[in-house]
Amino acid sequence: MSAADGPESLGMGKVVLLVEDNHHNRQIFAQVLTHYGFEVKEAENGELAVKIAPEVGPDLILMDLSLPVMDGWQAARRIKAIPELAKVPIIALTAHAMTGDREGAIEAGCDGYLSKPISPKKVVVAVAEALGLEPPD
Ligand code: MN
């Protein structure tokens, strides 16, 4: 990324599926990712995420674990079982700071996790790193 490029050049061409039931968090994360050029698709529960994931074809999934209808652990498992999505990195968003919940996220197929509260910038850095992009300063 050259100095002449704006922040939006970071995520250009990359699609992030953001699965989060908290409207406020969803809005903040979607806003910052869009600012950095990512295309953001949103789902507010795990079942919806599993349903739309194949048509969205995300480059990365941000998955809240505590979700209505179907929780994030189960949604991650189901998405990882879809052959064309099996290699899509899933970063879990967890409010649970307990080690067991982190292990549960990895066990469910998540590739990493972020503990809430998470600064919007930290989300962008984690997404960039997981996609092999140069994270913003
Ligand atoms: Mn939640």
Side-chain angles (χ1 to χ4, degrees):
M1 186 163 122
S2 81
D5 294 328
E8 72 282 0
S9 64
L10 177 69
M12 210 167 276
K14 301 288 185 191
V15 179
V16 174
L17 176 57
L18 171 61
V19 191
E20 165 64 90
D21 61 318
N22 181 288
H23 176 76
H24 179 70
N25 285 342
R26 212 166 63 234
Q27 199 170 24
I28 288 174
F29 298 155
Q31 197 171 31
V32 72
L33 287 164
T34 302
H35 174 74
Y36 280 97
F38 294 94
E39 185 183 339
V40 181
K41 301 290 184 188
E42 301 176 23
E44 59 193 27
N45 67 61
E47 189 178 76
L48 192 60
V50 174
K51 190 181 167 200
I52 70 170
E55 57 198 75
V56 168
D59 293 285
L60 182 140
I61 298 169
L62 281 172
M63 179 74 76
D64 181 28
L65 291 178
S66 180
L67 293 166
V69 189
M70 181 191 293
D71 68 37
W73 289 279
Q74 195 178 349
R77 252 189 213 102
R78 294 206 181 185
I79 288 170
K80 286 291 187 180
I82 300 169
E84 67 266 35
L85 297 176
K87 288 188 175 140
V88 175
I90 300 179
I91 299 175
L93 305 176
T94 174
H96 312 275
M98 290 169 65
T99 318
D101 289 324
R102 295 172 184 172
E103 285 165 356
I106 302 302
E107 201 184 314
C110 296
D111 302 273
Y113 60 86
L114 293 169
S115 298
K116 295 182 190 178
I118 314 158
S119 75
K121 191 65 176 285
K122 215 173 160 186
V123 170
V124 174
V125 169
V127 168
E129 283 174 349
L131 290 173
L133 306 169
E134 196 182 324
D137 301 325

